Amino acid sequence: MDQRPRLSDVAARVGVSPASVSLVLRGAPGPSAETRERVLAAAAELGYRADRTASLLARRRRHLLGLLLDVRNPFHAELAEEIHVQADRAGYEVVLSTLTRDRDEPRAIETLLDFRCEALLLLGPDASADELGKLAGQVPCVVVGRMVRGADVDVVRPADDVGVDAALDHLIGLGHSRIAFVDGGRGAVAAARRQGYRRAMRRAGLPAHVLPGDHTEEGGIRTGRRLAAEGELPTAVVTSNDRLAVGLMDAFVRAGIDVPGRVSVVGYDDSTLAHLAHIDLTSVNQDAPAQAREAVLAAVSRLDGGRTMASEIVLVPRLIVRGSTAPPEDVVPLEQSPP
């Protein structure tokens, strides 16, 4: 079997030192334009690819950012893509470690530590503030998507109360008063959105009705089936994320409940699911590119800028109105009201 081409093979082909080849391939100053052209041509002819692992081990700095995400969450996928873009611009590589059905948060974080990542970016972690503080004692941490108090971690998050307020203001403005909320479960992000819903309903003088859920499509389907079986439907439902909204709408469609005719539905995340024409979901947009940019900047300012004080960046979400919301059936639009 042929051996993988080495740096020395490229150097021999061009007639320069391996050090010169390394400078060219790293884009470092020194070699002439002619040498650069010859080295790049020889590397392409030989099929040479740099050994990233060896290169990282040879450097004192690894320039690796570890990213924790839930592989089942479409919004996390959007954030991960944007984080890759921002990290590349800052000269960093990203190592992914995912949560799955059989892989919990501590194990996923341990993997990132095993890779000796210089900083960790944690998307919506469920760890307590104490646990996050202990982790930050080992490596700089940026928590994305939730509030953290009493821990030396950087935070980049949306103002969830503002996002929930926008959803409820929209529905109340359409004439809805019986507005339920499908909960996201036990996590910190779900708790913040649930609390935001309760506060907003109290301010509006409306009764709160929280339904159990778990931030998955299956959780939304279970809730939708339960509502359909009970027959006492709210006129509108706000869900803790888009996945719940999609599951809820699926159950409603199968039960012959029209959305938004009988029930309006609002999601949270404005993920790619919400944009699909057959879903057309009104949803709260959290500005994934801005969250990714601020998260990477927070990590880099610690690693390259020497910042030591914890920071918190709070971004204002906005509601994207689509076809899943409308006035309730018992509300007559003004232009159609009787004289």
Side-chain angles (χ1 to χ4, degrees):
M1 180 182 293
D2 293 335
Q3 287 188 340
R4 174 177 175 171
R6 297 171 298 178
L7 195 74
S8 58
D9 297 325
V10 179
R13 172 70 66 92
V14 180
V16 298
S17 69
S20 294
V21 173
S22 178
L23 289 173
V24 171
L25 296 178
R26 287 188 288 115
S32 67
E34 179 187 358
T35 299
R36 290 180 185 279
E37 186 175 335
R38 291 168 57 209
V39 166
L40 292 174
E45 291 170 5
L46 292 170
Y48 172 79
R49 290 180 60 83
D51 187 336
R52 296 290 299 167
T53 303
S55 175
L56 288 168
L57 289 173
R59 285 186 269 166
R60 185 171 298 175
R61 289 285 308 277
R62 293 175 63 80
H63 286 82
L64 284 181
L65 300 178
L67 179 60
L68 171 78
L69 73 157
D70 187 339
V71 72
R72 299 156 295 185
N73 189 325
F75 184 65
H76 282 193
E78 292 179 48
L79 279 172
E81 182 177 10
E82 296 292 344
I83 285 169
H84 268 283
V85 171
Q86 298 298 329
D88 187 59
R89 290 174 181 171
Y92 282 78
E93 296 287 346
V94 178
V95 175
L96 301 180
S97 189
T98 60
L99 303 178
T100 67
R101 183 175 57 252
D102 301 317
R103 197 165 188 268
D104 63 11
E105 198 168 282
R107 180 181 171 191
I109 290 173
E110 193 65 35
T111 297
L112 297 175
L113 295 176
D114 288 344
F115 270 91
R116 294 168 51 208
C117 295
E118 289 191 302
L120 304 186
L121 277 59
L122 311 174
L123 305 188
D126 288 329
S128 68
D130 286 343
E131 291 167 332
L132 291 169
K134 290 176 183 177
L135 181 61
Q138 303 177 61
V139 61
C141 294
V142 182
V143 173
V144 182
R146 59 164 278 201
M147 184 184 296
V148 180
R149 291 286 181 262
D152 185 26
V153 299
D154 297 317
V155 172
V156 178
R157 65 177 180 88
D160 278 319
D161 55 343
V162 175
V164 174
D165 279 351
L168 290 171
D169 285 348
H170 169 64
L171 292 170
I172 293 168
L174 290 173
H176 294 277
S177 58
R178 291 187 291 116
I179 307 169
F181 180 80
V182 183
D183 190 27
R186 298 167 56 186
V189 173
R193 294 175 186 175
R194 178 174 61 250
Q195 291 164 6
Y197 163 78
R198 290 188 184 279
R199 284 195 299 267
M201 293 295 279
R202 280 199 303 270
R203 283 198 300 269
L206 297 174
H209 186 196
V210 177
L211 304 167
D214 60 8
H215 272 176
T216 68
E217 290 85 352
E218 292 78 9
I221 290 170
R222 287 193 298 270
T223 300
R225 286 174 175 169
R226 190 179 309 118
L227 286 172
E230 291 172 357
E232 188 72 21
L233 291 171
T235 63
V237 179
V238 178
T239 63
S240 189
N241 73 351
D242 285 352
R243 296 178 67 192
L244 277 167
V246 170
L248 184 77
M249 291 169 71
D250 179 82
F252 283 168
V253 168
R254 295 176 188 277
I257 298 170
D258 182 57
V259 175
R262 289 184 63 190
V263 182
S264 288
V265 177
V266 180
Y268 204 112
D269 288 341
D270 193 32
S271 63
T272 51
L273 291 171
H275 302 198
L276 298 176
H278 67 288
I279 295 175
D280 202 26
L281 178 65
T282 295
S283 186
V284 178
N285 182 287
Q286 300 186 67
D287 198 346
Q291 287 196 51
R293 180 178 64 252
E294 296 295 344
V296 172
L297 286 175
V300 172
S301 67
R302 288 256 192 185
L303 298 173
D304 296 348
R307 180 175 58 83
T308 56
M309 296 293 292
S311 69
E312 182 180 43
I313 303 294
V314 181
L315 302 171
V316 178
R318 59 195 177 95
L319 185 70
I320 306 299
V321 178
R322 298 191 179 88
S324 66
T325 52
E329 289 182 329
D330 57 353
V331 173
V332 180
L334 288 177
E335 62 272 16
Q336 298 179 19
S337 57

